[in-house]
Amino acid sequence: MSLGFHCSLVPRVRFERLSALLIGVILSSCAPSVSVQQSRARIADSRGLPQDLVVAKKELLNGQKIEQQQPLLGLGHDLAAASAAAAELRNHPNESQARDFYNFAVARSVENIQRAEIQPWHRPVRIPGRDGEYVLRSRTPSDREHDPSNYSFLPTDTLKVSGKFFGTRSIAQGVGAPLVAIGRDKVADYRTRYGTKRLYAAITAVVTFRGHHAEIEFIERLSSDRISIDGRTYPLAGDFTAPIALAVIRERPYQFAHSEFIHPEKYRDAARLIRLQPFDRRRTPVIFVHGLESSPTNWAPMINTLLSDPDIRRRYQFWVFSYPTGFPYPYSALQLRHELDGISRAFPDHKRVVVVGHSLGGMVTRLMVTDAGDKIWRAFFGSSPAQTPLPSRTRDSLKELLVFNHRPDIKRAIFITTPHRGTHVASSWIGRIRSHLVKTPGFLVDMRTSVFASSNVNPIALRLNRIPTSIDTLAPDDPFVLEASRIPISPEIPYHSILADRGRGGGTKSSDGVVGYWSAHLEGAQSEFIAPSNHSAQKNPEAIAEVRRILRGSD
């Protein structure tokens, strides 16, 4: 008995369910692999401690016994421990035990400040201690964004992060208690400020002492890397993995990736550039552009690894472009251009950017660095925009899509497994199924109607018997792909290619299972690297190392 089936014999409803199931299986392989578990931090076993650290350990143990029921008294013990450890650190600044006890005591202090629901950043608070009362204060916040009242703080020594997305933990050794600052409320103006809806930031807490006067300070770790205590300068501790992992777990930025692919018009206004850290005009923005039916979440492994490099942290700031991937990719490129214009208005002093695009995101990136002028327009219409008989509104809309030059605000591009000449998967049966799942945007239908009503355009040339989806515009014989691939990248912008091979023999035989060497290879690239990977090379350690090499070697 045959277990196969003929499509003509399968009811339409079953075929649609099969398609949806197939998409679900594909998407399940893209779901983020990350776990965050919280537990109580424990004092490390240690022997032969100097006297100040003996005192610190005793105070910490006493504090942990009572902190749940009497957090204010527990805080007194924590401050006494931090003070004793700070004294030892002052006398022996290179002693790791003194540093570790100090960091542990500061982390426990932050926990008990929250348990006791006190706010030393608004007024000094008196804290009972074994050897006398402490007066705890903090600098008055300059604005709402820097007001600790608006955040909850999680010491990262209580968080265990695991999963394929975070094979290594990116940390910086130093003084201070690494924390995750989590915004209590969603940011009201996050769109205009190009920020995240809710803040998850790498913060480091430091407590300094003048006798029994203690001052706590929260430092944004990606903005500062050193701290001065008692006249000495120390590296500032930091944990860069925990904030990313918590944001992925709690906010689930990947949850709409499939819906944005199927219903792109519904999410049209969701396309935006997002900065992942405070803007710094001294640092070069690196913008990551994700691929088809994906989300910025899939850049987490790369961003996490890059943040482990002090040189990268010092020179670069990370952004992502999130966009619905069901649109034909020239429209996604138009959305990115608008967003780049927006950040130039919001941050007029920003440095020229580096754009890193994966797969479809690489195709979008390609249009940012190409001097097409009106070549593509002429190929489709046979005349210049001014000579093409179209209503002005339609002409203006089409010019935005088809007439463009390289962005002068881009200094470098990195393409990862990008199908510059298309991919046969897009024209295969699975590609056709996925393409037909996409709901055609109404404004593109209106544009098509206006074109054919007003112009002598060749419908075969434009393939406008129906509006193309992103998958259609990835096919090797797609007119836009064919025309765009003939136009070289601007000589003013250096670019790099990262390809992948999943065992086809390397070199010109390489294929990642979706994109072959014939499509991903670019003449004129400053470097070409083939990673041993499937199509998701943006998560491959060797490909990530290549991006790191490129960034470190760039001016």
Side-chain angles (χ1 to χ4, degrees):
M1 178 179 179
S2 173
L3 297 180
F5 64 87
H6 297 283
C7 291
S8 59
L9 301 179
V10 180
R12 178 176 179 82
V13 64
R14 287 182 59 194
F15 184 76
E16 291 177 347
R17 288 174 180 171
L18 176 65
S19 301
L21 176 63
L22 185 60
I23 296 300
V25 171
I26 293 170
L27 281 176
S28 67
S29 65
C30 302
S33 175
V34 56
S35 171
V36 179
Q37 296 177 322
Q38 186 174 9
S39 61
R40 186 179 185 182
R42 297 185 180 278
I43 303 171
D45 292 334
S46 51
R47 297 180 182 180
L49 295 174
Q51 183 58 37
D52 281 333
L53 296 189
V54 171
V55 172
K57 183 173 183 178
K58 181 178 179 180
E59 292 289 348
L60 287 169
L61 291 172
N62 289 336
Q64 288 192 325
K65 292 177 183 177
I66 62 172
E67 62 187 10
Q68 297 296 331
Q69 290 74 33
Q70 297 176 293
L72 207 60
L73 293 178
L75 176 57
H77 287 292
D78 296 334
L79 292 175
S83 179
E88 179 66 21
L89 192 62
R90 183 167 55 249
N91 295 326
H92 302 91
N94 297 319
E95 186 177 287
S96 61
Q97 282 186 322
R99 179 199 66 197
D100 293 345
F101 269 94
Y102 173 82
N103 295 353
F104 189 91
V106 173
R108 307 290 75 76
S109 297
V110 171
E111 288 180 322
N112 281 321
I113 287 172
Q114 294 182 118
R115 288 192 186 103
E117 298 181 347
I118 59 174
Q119 297 188 0
W121 31 88
H122 289 164
R123 62 178 179 83
V125 181
R126 296 185 178 277
I127 311 297
R130 178 187 61 81
D131 57 346
E133 190 176 64
Y134 285 88
V135 178
L136 178 64
R137 69 180 69 226
S138 179
R139 297 175 184 176
T140 302
S142 57
D143 52 40
R144 177 178 173 80
E145 183 178 0
H146 295 92
D147 187 345
S149 305
N150 296 319
Y151 305 94
S152 59
F153 298 97
L154 279 178
T156 65
D157 62 2
T158 67
L159 301 176
K160 179 182 178 182
V161 180
S162 58
K164 293 180 181 179
F165 265 36
F166 301 100
T168 59
R169 192 151 177 169
S170 295
I171 61 173
Q173 297 291 349
V175 170
L179 314 170
V180 182
I182 305 167
R184 296 186 185 278
D185 301 308
K186 290 186 176 180
V187 181
D189 55 350
Y190 70 93
R191 288 297 298 257
T192 58
R193 300 179 65 186
Y194 294 90
T196 54
K197 291 182 181 179
R198 190 186 304 276
L199 182 70
Y200 291 81
I203 301 293
T204 302
V206 175
V207 179
T208 53
F209 295 89
R210 287 184 298 106
H212 276 60
H213 288 265
E215 181 175 279
I216 187 167
E217 182 179 4
F218 296 100
I219 304 168
E220 213 293 323
R221 184 54 183 80
L222 287 174
S223 298
S224 302
D225 60 6
R226 303 191 76 78
I227 184 67
S228 180
I229 302 176
D230 296 331
R232 294 184 180 273
T233 300
Y234 302 90
L236 192 63
D239 187 326
F240 309 103
T241 298
I244 302 173
L246 274 178
V248 170
I249 288 291
R250 295 190 175 188
E251 301 300 317
R252 299 189 300 161
Y254 53 87
Q255 63 182 319
F256 296 116
H258 180 54
S259 296
E260 289 176 339
F261 169 69
I262 298 296
H263 304 282
E265 187 170 25
K266 178 180 176 182
Y267 296 93
R268 182 181 180 183
D269 294 336
R272 67 189 192 97
L273 277 169
I274 306 167
R275 57 179 173 84
L276 303 182
Q277 61 194 89
F279 173 76
D280 186 341
R281 62 181 179 82
R282 300 167 299 175
R283 292 177 165 92
T284 298
V286 179
I287 298 173
F288 296 96
V289 187
H290 63 76
L292 182 70
E293 216 167 341
S294 184
S295 76
T297 304
N298 280 293
W299 291 110
M302 179 173 291
I303 292 173
N304 176 61
T305 301
L306 293 176
L307 285 173
S308 67
D309 188 319
D311 183 59
I312 298 289
R313 294 198 303 268
R314 177 179 58 84
R315 296 169 54 196
Y316 296 97
Q317 55 185 305
F318 295 137
W319 294 60
V320 292
F321 178 53
S322 179
Y323 64 104
T325 61
F327 285 119
Y329 81 88
Y331 184 77
S332 299
L334 174 61
Q335 290 182 306
L336 179 52
R337 287 190 205 103
H338 287 169
E339 288 295 290
L340 288 170
D341 291 340
I343 67 168
S344 291
R345 291 189 295 268
F347 307 103
D349 54 349
H350 77 76
K351 287 189 172 184
R352 294 174 66 207
V353 307
V354 176
V355 185
V356 184
H358 169 247
S359 192
L360 175 66
M363 301 288 275
V364 172
T365 299
R366 170 73 180 266
L367 301 189
M368 299 296 107
V369 296
T370 302
D371 290 320
D374 65 357
K375 295 184 182 70
I376 296 176
W377 180 290
R378 287 178 177 274
F380 285 169
F381 292 98
S383 59
S384 70
Q387 296 171 328
T388 304
L390 290 171
S392 58
R393 183 175 179 180
T394 302
R395 181 187 292 108
D396 291 344
S397 296
L398 278 171
K399 280 180 65 177
E400 278 199 301
L401 284 171
L402 301 178
V403 180
F404 52 86
N405 288 305
H406 80 272
R407 298 282 309 192
D409 49 357
I410 294 177
K411 65 180 293 186
R412 189 175 299 273
I414 303 174
F415 301 103
I416 302 178
T417 57
T418 299
H420 296 285
R421 299 168 188 84
T423 169
H424 294 301
V425 174
S427 51
S428 69
W429 68 272
I430 187 172
R432 292 194 299 273
I433 289 175
R434 297 178 73 187
S435 180
H436 281 285
L437 289 174
V438 178
K439 307 304 178 185
T440 304
F443 72 95
L444 291 180
V445 173
D446 293 341
M447 188 183 300
R448 170 191 179 277
T449 301
S450 178
V451 167
F452 282 117
S454 310
S455 171
N456 294 324
V457 65
N458 181 353
I460 297 177
L462 271 184
R463 193 180 287 175
L464 285 178
N465 54 315
R466 70 179 182 89
I467 297 298
T469 68
S470 55
I471 292 181
D472 296 324
T473 53
L474 291 178
D477 59 346
D478 177 77
F480 191 92
V481 170
L482 291 171
E483 293 301 325
S485 65
R486 295 186 181 111
I487 303 172
I489 292 173
S490 169
E492 297 180 28
I493 301 177
Y495 54 95
H496 307 259
S497 292
I498 297 176
L499 293 68
D501 182 48
R502 61 173 192 174
R504 299 294 293 274
T508 58
K509 299 178 181 179
S510 298
S511 173
D512 59 33
V514 176
V515 180
Y517 184 92
W518 62 271
S519 182
H521 170 74
L522 281 178
E523 293 293 336
Q526 286 207 340
S527 63
E528 181 176 273
F529 178 80
I530 301 176
S533 171
N534 58 16
H535 187 58
S536 297
Q538 82 279 18
K539 294 180 280 190
N540 176 269
E542 293 188 33
I544 293 172
E546 175 66 4
V547 172
R548 177 180 177 177
R549 183 197 67 78
I550 294 168
L551 293 179
R552 285 180 63 93
S554 303
D555 54 17

